[in-house]
Every structure is written in C-alpha cells, then in structure tokens.
Amino acid sequence: MLELNAVIFDMDGLMIDTEPVGKMLVKTSHERFGYEITEDMFYHLIGTNEKTSKAYYHSVFGEDYPYQKIKDYRDQLRKEYFNSHPLEVKKGLYDLLEDLKKKNIKMAVASSTRYERVLSNLKSIKVDHYFDAIIGGDQIQHGKPAPDIFLKAVELLGVSKEDALVLEDSKNGIRAAYNANMRRVWIPDQVPFNEEDMKYVDLQCKNLKEVIDILEAM
C-alpha cells in the first residue's frame, strides 16, 4: 500500500489550460517561416523540454531549421496573447491543493517549461506558495520521457520515490514517471492515449478534483 508523502504536478495541460494556446502558437510561428506542424508532431512534443524539442525539430526539418528565430517569434506571440488573456486554471486545482496542504503532504511542480516561466505562471494563478519544490525543464539534463525531473523532485522534497505520486496529462510525462518507477495518475487533456500508452498508466481521473477521491482510497 502506498504511503503518500508527496504529490508531484506537471503544469501545462494539468494545472493550467495552456495546451490549446500552445498548439496555436506553434502552428502560427512555424507557418510564418514556411514550416508545417502536423497533429502528430505537436502531440509528440507535448511534455518535452526545450533541449528535447530542439533536437526533434532538427531531426524532422534538417540542420537548416531556424530553431531560434521561430522560438523567438513564438515567445513574442505568447507574450502578446497572455497580456490580454488570463491563464485558465484546470478544474479542481485549488480544491486539490488545499486538500493536500491540510494533510501535510508535500508538493512539487515538475514541468518541461523553463523555470522562469513556470514560476511566473504559478504566481499568476496564485498557487506558488503551495509548493515545496519547483523544477523547470531547463534545470535538468534529460527531459521527459527521461525520469530525471521526477527523480530531482523527490530528491528536493526529501521523500522516497515509492511514497510519491505523479500527476500528468501527456504521454511523455507518464512515461517519465514510469521510467522513474513512480506511481502515476493520468488526467487527460490534449494528447490521446492508445492501448499501448495505457500500459504505463496506474490510475486515471477526469480532472484534478477526482484525484481527491483517489487519495482517500489509498
């Protein structure tokens, strides 16, 4: 039986509803430079950090692919969009955070997004104070689906990985938790899972509020 001492959260697509906007920005920024991003390519990249996504883009489009120019343009579009559109919080987030706080369960964010933006987003939705550790994708060598970020999270929290639970929405995130040999809950968002993907899922919830009931049963 799991002795739950910590819960580790992904951010994009799990805590905040950023994936649809991200998809639009990726598509628009690439079209600006004459590149086409397919659905499969976008889904493949969800949950990966900058280093991993850069290598993937070059593997698809070749060494002449202007990664930095497209990234800079996408960052500009993102800044303009969120200057006029507040971040949307996923259902049940505040309830779950309060529940874990009352139970004295440690919490961490382990996101493939770079640390500076993770912290800014958490402050924007006023939840940064809940977390005992925050890790961005630029702070680890190997991004998801490698286990590095989740192993770093339990190290910073000072808990055993056997006593931690990972909440994820993406294939790369679920695989990373699996590769870390940690318990994992899938909360679906943009990325469709097939039968093969489901082999890596321990539990599934419709939203973060349902996680509270899952924890009660542990």
Side-chain angles (χ1 to χ4, degrees):
M1 184 175 180
L2 177 71
E3 179 182 347
L4 187 64
N5 290 324
V7 174
I8 303 172
F9 292 72
D10 178 43
M11 184 183 70
D12 293 294
L14 183 96
M15 299 171 64
I16 52 179
D17 193 19
T18 51
E19 298 297 9
V21 177
K23 183 178 181 180
M24 178 269 290
L25 295 175
V26 168
K27 180 179 174 61
T28 302
S29 59
H30 278 82
E31 287 177 346
R32 169 69 173 77
F33 289 86
Y35 292 89
E36 180 183 359
I37 299 295
T38 66
E39 294 276 308
D40 287 344
M41 290 169 64
F42 178 75
Y43 292 147
H44 179 85
L45 288 165
I46 288 180
T48 60
N49 66 2
E50 185 175 329
K51 181 179 178 181
T52 303
S53 63
K54 181 178 181 179
Y56 176 76
Y57 281 129
H58 279 297
S59 73
V60 173
F61 296 120
E63 289 304 311
D64 292 334
Y65 170 77
Y67 176 83
Q68 195 60 47
K69 286 185 178 180
I70 294 178
K71 178 184 177 299
D72 289 345
Y73 182 59
R74 186 167 64 250
D75 287 346
Q76 176 189 332
L77 293 178
R78 179 182 287 106
K79 183 177 180 180
E80 292 171 356
Y81 180 89
F82 285 113
N83 277 342
S84 57
H85 297 78
L87 292 172
E88 295 186 21
V89 177
K90 299 288 275 188
K91 180 179 179 180
L93 175 63
Y94 295 120
D95 291 332
L96 178 56
L97 293 175
E98 275 298 310
D99 184 71
L100 295 174
K101 181 181 178 181
K102 290 176 183 176
K103 294 173 179 173
N104 293 316
I105 294 174
K106 294 182 178 181
M107 291 176 267
V109 174
S111 170
S112 295
T113 300
R114 65 179 182 267
Y115 175 82
E116 181 182 359
R117 186 181 296 160
V118 174
L119 186 58
S120 175
N121 286 348
L122 296 179
K123 287 182 177 180
S124 179
I125 61 173
K126 304 185 187 310
V127 299
D128 56 298
H129 61 284
Y130 283 99
F131 297 101
D132 304 284
I134 298 170
I135 309 136
D138 56 335
Q139 295 178 304
I140 42 108
Q141 183 174 4
H142 304 291
K144 302 172 186 176
D148 301 35
I149 198 165
F150 292 129
L151 297 177
K152 183 67 174 178
V154 292
E155 177 188 339
L156 292 175
L157 292 175
V159 301
S160 167
K161 65 180 183 179
E162 289 78 16
D163 298 333
L165 186 71
V166 173
L167 307 181
E168 268 284 359
D169 68 291
S170 73
K171 292 182 183 181
N172 286 314
I174 288 291
R175 291 286 185 96
Y178 174 85
N179 290 333
N181 197 26
M182 295 168 65
R183 292 288 298 273
R184 51 221 170 266
V185 177
W186 177 48
I187 296 94
D189 185 49
Q190 293 288 302
V191 184
F193 276 41
N194 58 33
E195 186 176 346
E196 178 65 24
D197 300 321
M198 291 304 295
K199 294 179 181 178
Y200 299 95
V201 175
D202 285 322
L203 298 165
Q204 178 180 345
C205 292
K206 292 180 181 178
N207 53 58
L208 292 172
K209 194 171 181 62
E210 282 194 3
V211 176
I212 298 174
D213 296 330
I214 291 292
L215 299 182
E216 291 294 339
M218 288 182 171

